[in-house]
């Protein structure tokens, strides 16, 4: 199993934005130092808690400070940006990273963003598909492009001056394009199948119950079969909320504190998803009554915490429950206690991961 990092950071509303941004940056640099293989960051424009407004800008900020880790957009919310802008920005970022970019994409899940960009009542899945298809066509072709769609038309036919380079949209360093991943947030996700058909890879979100995470593998296998390739568990990424401490008492106190960063994280998500009619994600079975879903039950099921030995055992049991996957994405949280936040990542990389991999070989 490889170890990665995924953060859609949820910070206290009153926290100085400069402090939270520096904290998030430090987490990525630490992940690189510790040998995490990849790291993703989310983006939202209209959320004070999830306050990274551009994953491209954030990754550009840390590109030169990282050495080996692959950096991923987690995700670019495709309906909210013109496909030509996305194509140009991601191409430049891939060059800045010397080919270490992973292109994470989605239709976007924050409804206030959708309202802001005028697509709240639109078919965002349809917009998403048109946008990514147009980005890939831009990267595969040369000007004047002449790409026509329902939502966007792309052309420089009237203004092209090829001899001096005007009208050219940059291509990424990785050809034909950087690896593409999609984050799956629905049980039995059809999106996982469609992505696999196209050669894209899935990330199972860390706020899904294990039963729904498990449901993603058969959908991925179905898509790979339809796409004419073998489904490899090494290409499946699963995000998980984990906290590791040197002693069990510290781990429990920090991970279960009602005012701590883990409870705060899931309280925010629970509030949003319940309001949006998506409480099913937090159910352990589809016929479970809504009133049985509480913040306490969510935290109890979705947060793994303890000493390195205990966390390794819990992760092995989790993998037995959902199936074999290739990369565990450690889900970033606010560093209410900076030293404990850093220590958890260090223990995860240096003590938990070796124990997990040793346990998998038995």
């Amino acid at each position: 199993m490889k170890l990665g990092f995924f953060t859609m950071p949820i910070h206290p509303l009153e926290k100085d934005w400069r402090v939270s941004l520096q904290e998030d940056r430090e987490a990525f640099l630490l992940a690189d130092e510790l040998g995490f293989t990849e790291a993703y960051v989310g983006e939202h424009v209209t959320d004070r808690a999830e306050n990274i407004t551009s994953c491209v800008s954030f990754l550009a900020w840390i590109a030169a400070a990282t050495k080996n880790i692959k950096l991923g957009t987690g995700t670019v919310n495709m309906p909210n940006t013109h496909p030509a802008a996305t194509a140009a920005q991601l191409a430049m970022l891939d060059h800045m990273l010397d080919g270490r970019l992973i292109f994470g994409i989605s239709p976007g899940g924050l409804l206030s963003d959708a309202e802001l960009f005028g697509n709240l009542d639109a078919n965002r899945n349809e917009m998403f598909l048109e946008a990514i298809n147009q980005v890939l066509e831009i990267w595969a072709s040369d000007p004047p492009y002449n790409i026509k769609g329902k939502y966007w038309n792309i052309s420089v036919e009237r203004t092209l001056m090829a001899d001096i380079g005007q009208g050219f949209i940059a291509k990424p360093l990785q050809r034909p394009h950087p690896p593409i991943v999609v984050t799956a947030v629905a049980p039995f996700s059809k999106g996982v199948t469609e992505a696999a058909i196209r050669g894209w890879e899935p990330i199972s979100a860390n706020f899904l119950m294990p039963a729904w995470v498990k449901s993603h593998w058969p959908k991925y296998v179905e898509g790979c079969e339809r796409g004419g390739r073998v489904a490899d568990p090494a290409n499946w990424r699963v995000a998980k909320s984990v906290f590791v401490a040197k002693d069990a008492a510290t781990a429990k106190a920090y991970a279960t504190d009602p005012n701590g960063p883990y409870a705060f994280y899931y309280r925010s998500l629970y509030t949003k998803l319940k309001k949006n009619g998506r409480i099913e994600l937090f159910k352990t079975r589809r016929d479970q009554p809504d009133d049985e879903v509480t913040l306490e039950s969510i935290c109890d099921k979705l947060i793994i915490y303890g000493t390195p030995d205990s966390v390794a055992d819990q992760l092995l049991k989790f993998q037995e429950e959902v199936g074999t996957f290739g990369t565990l994405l450690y889900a970033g949280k606010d560093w209410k206690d900076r030293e404990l936040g850093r220590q958890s990542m260090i223990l995860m990389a240096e003590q938990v991961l070796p124990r997990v991999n040793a346990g998998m070989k038995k």
Side-chain angles (χ1 to χ4, degrees), residues 151-169:
Y151 300 98
W152 299 279
N153 295 317
I154 297 167
S155 176
V156 293
E157 191 168 37
R158 295 171 59 193
T159 54
L160 177 64
M161 290 191 285
D163 57 328
I164 62 168
Q166 178 173 303
F168 173 79
I169 302 175

Side-chain angles (χ1 to χ4, degrees), residues 114-248:
E115 181 178 6
L116 179 73
F117 290 107
N119 56 58
L120 180 61
D121 299 316
N123 185 334
R124 288 193 299 281
N125 286 326
E126 186 178 65
M127 294 182 74
F128 161 75
L129 286 173
E130 180 173 309
I132 184 58
N133 287 339
Q134 289 187 343
V135 167
L136 294 178
E137 188 171 349
I138 288 170
W139 287 344
S141 59
D142 295 310
Y145 307 111
N146 289 324
I147 303 168
K148 299 192 182 301
K150 180 177 178 180
Y151 300 98
W152 299 279
N153 295 317
I154 297 167
S155 176
V156 293
E157 191 168 37
R158 295 171 59 193
T159 54
L160 177 64
M161 290 191 285
D163 57 328
I164 62 168
Q166 178 173 303
F168 173 79
I169 302 175
K171 292 175 168 58
L173 180 63
Q174 298 176 85
R175 303 296 294 148
H177 55 75
I180 295 176
V181 299
V182 295
T183 301
V185 297
F188 304 96
S189 171
K190 295 179 181 177
V192 168
T193 301
E194 295 302 318
I197 291 171
R198 300 186 64 164
W200 307 342
E201 309 299 350
I203 295 174
S204 296
N206 63 293
F207 46 86
L208 281 173
M209 288 295 169
W212 310 139
V213 174
K214 182 179 181 179
S215 76
H216 290 166
W217 177 250
K219 305 304 287 185
Y220 178 64
V221 171
E222 177 188 341
C224 287
E225 288 175 350
R226 288 169 57 185
R229 62 194 183 106
V230 177
D232 186 350
N235 296 327
W236 184 21
R237 299 160 171 88
V238 175
K240 195 67 181 168
S241 294
V242 180
F243 178 70
V244 197
K246 292 180 179 178
D247 65 274

Side-chain angles (χ1 to χ4, degrees), residues 18 32 36 67 86 89 114 135 207 211 328 343:
R18 295 167 296 178
D32 187 34
F36 284 57
K67 296 185 175 90
T86 299
Q89 291 165 7
V135 167
F207 46 86
L328 174 74
Q343 183 186 86

Side-chain angles (χ1 to χ4, degrees), residues 81-103:
T81 307
H82 194 289
T86 299
Q89 291 165 7
L90 270 292
M92 185 172 78
L93 183 58
D94 194 34
H95 282 263
M96 293 170 72
L97 286 166
D98 197 25
R100 288 187 286 125
L101 176 66
I102 300 175
F103 188 17

